[in-house]
Amino acid sequence: MRLNKQQVIVISLLNVLIVALVAAILFVPKSFWPGGKTDKPVGGDQTDDPEPPAHNKLRDAVKGRIPEIERETRLMGVGDETAVKVFFEDDGVYIYGNATVKGLDFDDYGGFLCIVDGNGKITSYKYFDGAITAVGVLPGGHAVAAGKTLYAVKNGEPTVIAELNGSALGLYATDRGVAAVTQPTTSSLMYAEYIAADEGKWTPDKATRIDSGYTLRFFDCYDFGGSRVIAARAHSLPMYDSVVFYKFEPGGDASAHYYGGTGENVTRPYAVMPYPGGYFAVAAKNGIATFINVDYTFATYRSQSLGYTFTDATLLYSGGYYYTCFDRQDGSVTYELDENLSRRRLTALDGVKTQCAIDTNPFAVVGRVSERSGTGSGGVAVNVVTPSTGAAVSLPITEGTVYAGAVIGGKTTLVLSASGGDALSVGSGGLDIYVVTLA
């Protein structure tokens, strides 16, 4: 089709208009258009804006939220933080623990050491390569096992001692260094010593490996001068369960002494400690709560049934007495036993699952109070109980686990993990670690 002169003029004008519109869109500044934005903020250059405040990890304690707590220090993270071992030294608190997530107070996940001074101020953090599984005492410091690495920590600074053959279950000071108990397999245990040499170097020394036909759960290792005794649970469910004591000289073979068995003799130990007459264990014998004890020569054995079932048990020692707590379906009960294992029930601690003891004057026991329902139970409070008077302080703390307590500057200080509650400041979810000083 042939265009006439008038049509050509119209088409040409439309093309010019389209080109002009495209140029305006591409090249005219955005600020020309109504509501348009520019790269430069109103009121000055972008560099003039204040930086957001940095998270202060080394901070002072804050005032407690309830009258019963004078001050609180919270080790806050974005995941779960729990303690493995707590030491009260030089009027300060040394907290060895694990963080599941990096963030806020924690520059890394895994094992850490946090030092808090006597006023509740966080003074430092140190990190380890892996999760901490055991902590022990060394002259002038601590021994720490994280992952498969063994560290010596002095003045808050960690140095590597050795690489282990597995995760450590217990660490113990020796005359010349440190001993580590590891579990190479589910049915074996390894005791290995390391000697502190010159210039901070360490060398491996005597070792004893224990192999069993049963699954082993380690409890503790005891030093008797030239010999050692390891206490463990040996089981092959559902038929066999017992407490076993392995006696050996470092570097030599171990002899095994079993107490339990099959049928009516099935004995599941929950905790073991030495006492002046030998070894003392809290156990379920054929499902029933039982105290058992054996002498140091493993020649005599005795059991005392309490006549009821339970779901868990703990054993504490403080001030010459043992404190045994059985967690029953109708609530926890606690007994005090003297060095002859004569016992009395502490009714002031009924319903409290004991977790630590504090050498206050008078003596106090701390534990968790749970609220039971058809779907289980959850921690709703932490109680500080004075057994001699029956006095108790109840702190509304959710899912509290108390790791240690001591008197600092005349005031009772607790280290615990919790998910919050009316007594504590609440984090971003999960468990945080708290250092609280009671009023």
Side-chain angles (χ1 to χ4, degrees):
M1 181 182 70
R2 190 171 219 179
L3 300 176
N4 57 36
K5 184 176 181 181
Q6 188 175 6
Q7 289 174 324
V8 170
I9 294 172
V10 171
I11 291 172
S12 299
L13 290 174
L14 288 173
N15 286 336
V16 171
L17 181 59
I18 290 171
V19 170
L21 288 171
V22 170
I25 292 171
L26 293 177
F27 300 110
V28 173
K30 293 179 182 178
S31 58
F32 177 82
W33 304 98
K37 296 181 179 180
T38 69
D39 293 332
K40 186 175 182 180
V42 176
D45 190 86
Q46 199 170 21
T47 57
D48 295 335
D49 291 344
E51 291 292 332
H55 178 68
N56 180 20
K57 298 180 177 68
L58 308 181
R59 58 188 180 276
D60 293 324
V62 298
K63 184 179 179 181
R65 296 186 65 195
I66 61 175
E68 292 81 1
I69 294 179
E70 180 177 291
R71 63 173 180 262
E72 168 204 302
T73 304
R74 177 162 66 96
L75 279 56
M76 62 183 74
V78 293
D80 286 338
E81 295 80 44
T82 53
V84 176
K85 190 72 173 179
V86 176
F87 298 99
F88 296 94
E89 298 178 357
D90 303 322
D91 289 331
V93 187
Y94 291 71
I95 303 170
Y96 290 93
N98 291 308
T100 57
V101 181
K102 174 182 176 180
L104 293 179
D105 282 351
F106 300 94
D107 294 337
D108 204 349
Y109 66 90
F112 66 86
L113 164 62
C114 177
I115 302 177
V116 179
D117 71 15
N119 296 316
K121 178 180 175 61
I122 300 172
T123 62
S124 68
Y125 284 95
K126 296 292 181 181
Y127 297 92
F128 300 87
D129 188 13
I132 293 176
T133 58
V135 183
V137 176
L138 287 177
H142 308 125
V144 179
K148 293 185 178 181
T149 304
L150 180 60
Y151 299 85
V153 179
K154 294 192 176 182
N155 299 318
E157 293 294 334
T159 57
V160 174
I161 293 177
E163 293 300 317
L164 303 171
N165 65 348
S167 297
L169 307 175
L171 299 174
Y172 305 90
T174 66
D175 291 340
R176 298 189 296 169
V178 63
V181 177
T182 60
Q183 189 160 22
T185 69
T186 58
S187 60
S188 66
L189 296 169
M190 175 72 81
Y191 172 93
E193 294 183 348
Y194 300 87
I195 298 174
D198 295 334
E199 299 178 357
K201 295 181 180 179
W202 293 74
T203 59
D205 194 32
K206 298 175 182 179
T208 292
R209 179 173 172 130
I210 298 167
D211 289 293
S212 171
Y214 302 108
T215 298
L216 298 177
R217 180 199 166 194
F218 172 79
F219 285 125
D220 209 348
C221 179
Y222 313 113
D223 185 344
F224 290 96
S227 65
R228 307 287 186 270
V229 172
I230 285 179
R233 176 192 180 195
H235 62 90
S236 179
L237 299 180
M239 300 300 294
Y240 182 90
D241 214 341
S242 71
V243 58
V244 59
F245 297 94
Y246 294 104
K247 185 175 182 179
F248 59 94
E249 293 183 3
D253 294 332
S255 60
H257 305 271
Y258 295 91
Y259 300 91
T262 60
E264 293 182 355
N265 293 319
V266 168
T267 302
R268 177 183 176 178
Y270 283 80
V272 181
M273 280 188 179
Y275 82 106
Y279 305 96
F280 166 53
V282 181
K285 186 173 183 179
N286 199 21
I288 303 301
T290 304
F291 293 127
I292 64 176
N293 59 285
V294 59
D295 70 12
Y296 285 118
T297 66
F298 306 107
T300 60
Y301 164 81
R302 182 185 178 194
S303 68
Q304 304 173 62
S305 175
L306 299 178
Y308 53 76
T309 61
F310 65 100
T311 57
D312 196 13
T314 59
L315 179 58
L316 305 172
Y317 175 81
S318 184
Y321 290 91
Y322 301 87
Y323 296 87
T324 302
C325 177
F326 292 96
D327 194 16
R328 309 191 310 190
Q329 188 61 37
D330 59 349
S332 299
V333 295
T334 298
Y335 300 88
E336 179 186 77
L337 297 94
D338 64 17
E339 62 180 17
N340 297 315
L341 302 186
S342 298
R343 69 178 184 270
R344 69 184 181 102
R345 181 171 167 177
L346 301 177
T347 56
L349 285 163
D350 282 357
V352 179
K353 187 174 182 179
T354 56
Q355 296 174 326
C356 81
I358 309 174
D359 289 328
T360 52
N361 188 15
F363 172 79
V365 177
V366 185
R368 171 173 169 167
V369 178
S370 295
E371 187 176 79
R372 301 174 187 272
S373 66
T375 58
S377 63
V380 296
V382 168
N383 282 16
V384 182
V385 182
T386 304
S388 62
T389 64
V393 176
S394 186
L395 308 173
I397 293 174
T398 305
E399 301 302 330
T401 298
V402 183
Y403 301 106
V407 177
I408 300 177
K411 298 291 184 72
T412 297
T413 296
L414 304 178
V415 179
L416 57 95
S417 65
S419 60
D422 292 341
L424 302 171
S425 58
V426 181
S428 55
L431 297 173
D432 286 333
I433 296 175
Y434 297 82
V435 180
V436 296
T437 296
L438 304 186

